Amino acid sequence: MLNVILIATRLPAGMANISLTTYAQDFISSAIKPDDTVIDATAGNGHDTLFLANGVGKGGCVYAFDIQEQAIRHVRLRLDQSGQSQQLKLIQDGHQNMLLHIPASLHSSITAIMFNLGYLPGGDKSLTTQEATTLSALTQAFKLLMPGGMLSIMAYTGHPGGRAEAEAIKQWASALTP
Ligand code: SAH
């Protein structure tokens, strides 16, 4: 079974009344079910992490990565307050080290991976995801996803480096075997 990828830098025409985050979540929601193991590659303020934790439930597992301590704190708090931290594995490290953190027994068995690139909303805008590490993480994501697993990538073009990152992702995707 093929993997399904959504790459977006903006909403499709006519879909103006939802956020890009909601758009990605709607896409991913068809992939996840209770007890699944999933990954939030850019945990940030934890909106996607909480969405994933709700989706897989207490019997599932969400690996969430972020390099910033501020993000890690926000995610922990958000999931604690929602009573969804039992299934959370929060990792303060770059997603380019994803394969090292996820036990080999889980490789090729992850049902969904979400990337929401750019900078932490409300945080340091100069600290953004980077083309090289994003591409490395995406390659690893494919080793982790199960056949039929889903990958969402939200990329932003308004900050320095954002457009080049988005272009590099599109090129990476176009080179994948169908
Ligand atoms: N999905 C989040 C928003 C993510 S913002 C939400 O719902 O709130 C992008 C995040 O990526 C930032 O928090 C930033 O710290 C993080 N980031 C930057 N480089 C990273 C890397 N190499 N690995 C993991 N996270 C990274």
Side-chain angles (χ1 to χ4, degrees):
M1 238 162 112
L2 295 173
N3 293 121
V4 188
I5 318 178
L6 172 72
I7 303 173
T9 53
R10 56 185 156 76
L11 289 172
M15 260 186 129
N17 51 359
I18 63 164
S19 68
L20 208 52
T21 318
T22 308
Y23 179 57
Q25 291 179 356
D26 284 351
F27 166 79
I28 288 292
S29 60
S30 62
I32 56 174
K33 52 181 192 322
D35 304 342
D36 279 354
T37 301
V38 296
I39 300 174
D40 185 348
T42 49
N45 289 318
H47 298 285
D48 289 334
T49 320
L50 180 58
F51 157 77
L52 290 168
N54 280 324
V56 301
K58 301 218 185 304
C61 183
V62 184
Y63 285 89
F65 293 87
D66 206 290
I67 52 172
Q68 292 194 63
E69 201 206 319
Q70 184 188 342
I72 297 292
R73 258 188 288 115
H74 286 175
V75 177
R76 170 71 61 202
L77 187 66
R78 187 180 298 280
L79 272 78
D80 277 349
Q81 283 175 345
S82 313
Q84 300 292 334
S85 38
Q86 191 180 314
Q87 62 272 50
L88 175 67
K89 297 228 187 308
L90 195 52
I91 298 164
Q92 188 176 356
D93 195 6
H95 41 220
Q96 65 275 19
N97 299 322
M98 216 187 255
L99 267 183
L100 295 174
H101 289 285
I102 300 193
S105 58
L106 293 174
H107 295 185
S108 302
S109 71
I110 306 294
T111 46
I113 305 182
M114 300 183 81
F115 284 82
N116 189 350
L117 302 169
Y119 55 80
L120 177 66
D124 181 350
K125 290 197 167 131
S126 68
L127 235 169
T128 65
T129 53
Q130 300 289 321
E131 187 180 322
T133 41
T134 299
L135 291 181
S136 166
L138 287 174
T139 304
Q140 294 176 44
F142 264 75
K143 299 196 172 128
L144 292 165
L145 278 179
M146 68 188 296
M150 291 171 99
L151 173 64
S152 66
I153 310 163
M154 299 300 115
Y156 303 88
T157 55
H159 62 276
R163 185 167 296 279
E165 184 181 39
E167 282 309 316
I169 293 164
K170 283 187 206 161
Q171 243 179 30
W172 165 84
S174 66
L176 292 172
T177 13

